[in-house]
Amino acid sequence: METERQLLIVEDDEAFARTLGRSFERRGYGVSHASNLDEVTALLATQTPGYAVVDLKLNGLASGLACVQALHTHNPAMLIVVLTGFASIATAVEAIKLGACHYLAKPSNTDDIEAAFGRAAGNAEVELTNRTSSIKTLEWERIHEMLAETGFNISETARRLGMHRRTLARKLGKQQVK
């Protein structure tokens, strides 16, 4: 199958990866699956997919951002969409800097992801809002910026933010996007 229709799904939730993979296969994609950076690296030794869907948070505290970086380094033309249940501006910015073309909050379906592949170029006509950020939103963004800097290490993030690790874990648990 041609490289342009090859899709790599980097997801540690086997059931979700299998469902998403089947849906893309019905649309004519050749689908491969990896659940962590080591598997991505091994797969890239034999394949060069044109598309990738990467979960931001893999196996515990592992970051999908490292996978995005490896995929983009391997093939700068690859269209990479990052999926996350922990959406924040900080992680979205880092994902784009590392080579992702789009960033979607879960739940996202095949239509959303395929549409994101089609919107790889930016849109200068996007509507701007007048909404100001709340203190809670600013705190959430700062926490995620620090999480990205520390490779999603909760203890180190809590130390750098000057808070107890359990307090940080509690804040993260309350803010999960479902």
Side-chain angles (χ1 to χ4, degrees):
M1 184 166 283
E2 59 190 77
T3 300
E4 295 83 36
R5 298 300 283 178
Q6 290 295 317
L7 171 74
L8 172 60
I9 298 173
V10 183
E11 171 67 61
D12 57 349
D13 180 345
E14 296 290 328
F16 178 69
R18 199 169 33 254
T19 301
L20 189 63
R22 274 190 244 137
S23 183
F24 272 102
E25 284 172 346
R26 282 192 296 272
R27 292 173 186 234
Y29 289 82
V31 177
S32 302
H33 173 251
S35 59
N36 57 47
L37 181 59
D38 293 336
E39 291 178 17
V40 168
T41 304
L43 197 133
L44 291 178
T46 61
Q47 297 180 23
T48 303
Y51 299 90
V53 177
V54 180
D55 186 16
L56 181 65
K57 189 175 177 189
L58 300 169
N59 293 329
L61 297 176
S63 171
L65 293 176
C67 295
V68 171
Q69 186 175 31
L71 291 167
H72 183 69
T73 300
H74 180 74
N75 179 6
M78 185 184 307
L79 296 176
I80 304 167
V81 172
V82 174
L83 292 181
T84 184
F86 301 88
S88 76
I89 292 171
T91 54
V93 169
E94 290 305 315
I96 300 304
K97 283 182 183 177
L98 292 170
C101 71
H102 229 290
Y103 182 95
L104 299 173
K106 288 180 180 177
S108 293
N109 60 30
T110 309
D111 292 332
D112 299 332
I113 296 166
E114 200 165 43
F117 287 141
R119 292 188 318 265
N123 179 5
E125 302 301 317
V126 70
E127 186 178 328
L128 301 176
T129 64
N130 290 329
R131 193 182 107 229
T132 58
S133 295
S134 70
I135 295 294
K136 285 187 177 189
T137 301
L138 292 173
E139 177 187 49
W140 178 247
E141 294 301 329
R142 180 68 181 133
I143 287 170
H144 274 274
E145 179 182 353
M146 193 58 62
L147 276 169
E149 283 180 23
T150 62
F152 290 85
N153 181 321
I154 297 276
S155 297
E156 179 61 16
T157 298
R159 187 188 68 72
R160 289 186 186 184
L161 293 172
M163 67 174 64
H164 196 278
R165 184 188 56 77
R166 280 185 243 151
T167 302
L168 177 58
R170 194 169 36 253
K171 286 179 183 283
L172 291 172
K174 286 181 182 177
Q175 294 292 327
Q176 243 183 54
V177 176
K178 302 227 178 189

